[in-house]
Amino acid sequence: MSNKTIQKCVKRVMDFVVALIILLLFMPLWLLITLLIKIDSKGSVFFIQARPGYHQKIFNVYKFRTMRIGSEKMIKGREVLKDDDRITGIGKFLRRSKLDEIPQLINVLKGEMSIVGPRPERIASLEDYTEEISKRLNMRPGLTGLAQVSGNIYISLSKRYEYDIYYVEHFSILLDLRILIRTVGVIFFGEDKYAGKEL
């Protein structure tokens, strides 16, 4: 068994344990967020959408809903920035703090996602994938990733793909830990502060 294979096994165990602990430990907070979403706007608490995952296997990704009902139909080709008027009041806080991604820990427990990995894109994006870009699907998608801590929407899509491919080809537990540490910085200081800054 190769060193990388061993690290991937360790990664999966760590994913499961960390996801379970966070979900259980902060359950009161998740219930509070659920209540605030219901009070703030009409609609479901969760946003559920089919996304391509590991080796293009389609799965349903879960998020706390942060946008007004029907807004997701207008997203294609348009980035959702922090001052977007489609975002609800509580949604702005959830997006800024990344708490809207927390339900994806369920995806992690199910083995559909990882804590760290390329972010899952919409199925329609596959139409534009080249053989090179498809490499980003050779690992489970993550809640956070190298592209997300290197500028994310403040850098070009092609550059985000470059970061994703680099991550897949150079994966290690150490790289995951470095990404997680910078994710904390992104939460406190914003994605724009890390645009163009190599990890």
Side-chain angles (χ1 to χ4, degrees):
M1 187 179 290
S2 68
N3 178 55
K4 183 157 287 190
T5 299
I6 293 173
Q7 290 200 70
K8 286 183 177 179
C9 290
V10 173
K11 176 182 175 72
R12 176 60 193 142
V13 173
M14 291 175 61
D15 281 341
F16 187 89
V17 172
V18 171
L20 188 60
I21 290 174
I22 294 176
L23 283 173
L24 295 178
L25 193 61
F26 293 95
M27 186 60 70
L29 177 59
W30 315 146
L31 294 175
L32 176 60
I33 290 174
T34 296
L35 179 61
L36 291 174
I37 292 174
K38 294 301 290 184
I39 292 174
D40 187 51
S41 63
K42 295 180 180 179
S44 171
V45 169
F46 299 105
F47 173 70
I48 303 174
Q49 190 174 61
R51 301 284 177 94
Y54 187 46
H55 293 324
Q56 296 193 25
K57 183 178 180 180
I58 306 301
F59 71 102
N60 286 323
V61 67
Y62 308 112
K63 296 179 69 173
F64 281 126
R65 181 176 60 82
T66 60
M67 301 182 72
R68 305 184 192 287
I69 296 301
S71 296
E72 69 276 3
K73 298 176 182 176
M74 302 185 292
I75 292 176
K76 188 175 181 180
R78 174 182 171 187
E79 297 288 3
V80 182
L81 300 175
K82 58 185 177 182
D83 59 348
D84 197 306
D85 59 10
R86 295 171 293 172
I87 304 175
T88 64
I90 185 63
K92 292 179 181 179
F93 167 73
L94 294 177
R95 280 178 171 269
R96 179 66 182 79
S97 62
K98 304 298 182 184
L99 287 174
D100 61 318
E101 311 285 357
I102 287 301
Q104 288 168 41
L105 290 171
I106 297 173
N107 293 118
V108 174
L109 290 177
K110 293 169 66 177
E112 297 166 335
M113 291 183 65
S114 179
I115 301 295
V116 179
R119 286 294 296 158
E121 293 196 306
R122 290 172 180 77
I123 294 176
S125 300
L126 294 176
E127 299 174 2
D128 303 319
Y129 275 26
T130 61
E131 184 175 347
E132 181 70 8
I133 296 173
S134 294
K135 291 179 181 178
R136 70 188 303 277
L137 300 173
N138 289 340
M139 288 195 74
R140 290 184 180 88
L143 275 74
T144 185
L146 185 57
Q148 283 60 55
V149 300
S150 303
N152 200 20
I153 63 174
Y154 295 95
I155 58 177
S156 67
L157 180 60
S158 61
K159 189 64 178 178
R160 276 178 266 170
Y161 286 155
E162 286 181 26
Y163 281 123
D164 288 339
I165 295 167
Y166 177 91
Y167 171 79
V168 171
E169 294 181 337
H170 297 83
F171 158 74
S172 70
I173 296 298
L174 179 59
L175 179 56
D176 273 16
L177 292 175
R178 291 170 63 194
I179 291 171
L180 286 172
I181 291 171
R182 181 176 278 195
T183 297
V184 176
V186 168
I187 291 173
F188 282 103
F189 304 113
E191 294 173 336
D192 54 319
K193 298 296 189 296
Y194 294 90
K197 294 183 179 180
E198 301 291 335
L199 185 63

